[in-house]
Amino acid sequence: RDHMARDPARPLTRPLAVTSPRIVVRGATLAITRRTTFRKAFLAPWNRRVEQAWLYSLADAQRETKVAVHHGVRVITHHHASITLTEPNLGEFLRRFHRDVSCAINTLLASERYDSSRNASTSAPRTPCGSSTPQRTPSHLTYEHLNPVAAGLVARPEHMPGTTLDGGHRKAGGIWVERPD
């Protein structure tokens, strides 16, 4: 029901859901993740353009918001990434990145004549979205790198289909991602 049309004399029967406020600090390194809707395998390599769409969405959000991306991995039903904010603009980065991935996945699903969902990513809060201290960063990057193994998807991280963004890309000056067709 439209909450604006309710009788003001009648109390709300259920509380309104509001996400917890986040402290967003310039220079903070954060670990982000987001699941797909119904945990469907939208991020799996079912189409060769899934990886390109995910990488391009991440790169475009990075370019537009000046966020530094340190690590990223797609794990079929969710993704992990480690980022550092150069401005307090986490919300804008996440909105751009997840909206663009969702639009691209829905376009690919429609082109293959699959039913597409309104949003390929869950509308649940983006969890965890934790701050990573210099002491925690190496262990968290290891966790992200080994997540496909822990999930039972592959025997070794390098066997996971697709590009995993890691320190090697950063040392090589990054990667160039073409805009998907």
Side-chain angles (χ1 to χ4, degrees):
R1 287 188 171 178
D2 183 3
H3 71 281
M4 300 306 266
R6 74 174 181 81
D7 179 5
R10 194 170 145 225
L12 289 173
T13 56
R14 65 183 172 116
L16 297 174
V18 178
T19 59
S20 301
R22 293 187 193 107
I23 297 173
V24 180
V25 179
R26 179 182 299 130
T29 298
L30 303 170
I32 62 170
T33 188
R34 190 148 188 203
R35 287 192 324 251
T36 58
T37 302
F38 304 116
R39 296 189 183 204
K40 289 192 173 189
F42 291 139
L43 297 176
W46 56 271
N47 183 302
R48 63 177 177 74
R49 295 175 290 181
V50 169
E51 176 181 17
Q52 184 183 18
W54 185 81
L55 285 170
Y56 185 82
S57 298
L58 182 61
D60 191 52
Q62 175 189 24
R63 180 181 57 83
E64 288 293 322
T65 61
K66 309 295 187 258
V67 166
V69 176
H70 306 296
H71 189 265
V73 62
R74 288 179 302 120
V75 191
I76 298 182
T77 61
H78 65 285
H79 74 82
H80 292 277
S82 292
I83 62 171
T84 297
L85 303 174
T86 56
E87 297 295 327
N89 57 359
L90 176 63
E92 178 64 11
F93 171 80
L94 293 174
R95 184 189 67 76
R96 290 185 69 89
F97 174 41
H98 292 132
R99 181 202 61 207
D100 290 354
V101 168
S102 186
C103 288
I105 295 296
N106 279 324
T107 300
L108 289 173
L109 287 168
S111 73
E112 297 286 333
R113 301 191 191 281
Y114 289 116
D115 289 336
S116 60
S117 64
R118 182 169 179 265
N119 192 342
S121 297
T122 182
S123 59
R126 299 157 189 105
T127 55
C129 190
S131 151
S132 187
T133 64
Q135 295 80 17
R136 288 180 48 206
T137 299
S139 65
H140 191 79
L141 291 176
T142 301
Y143 166 78
E144 288 178 357
H145 184 67
L146 295 176
N147 194 262
V149 176
L153 300 172
V154 291
R156 299 179 53 90
E158 59 270 18
H159 296 161
M160 186 68 186
T163 302
T164 297
L165 301 174
D166 58 21
H169 289 102
R170 190 172 61 242
K171 290 176 186 173
I175 61 173
W176 181 259
V177 183
E178 293 290 329
R179 182 175 181 173
D181 54 352

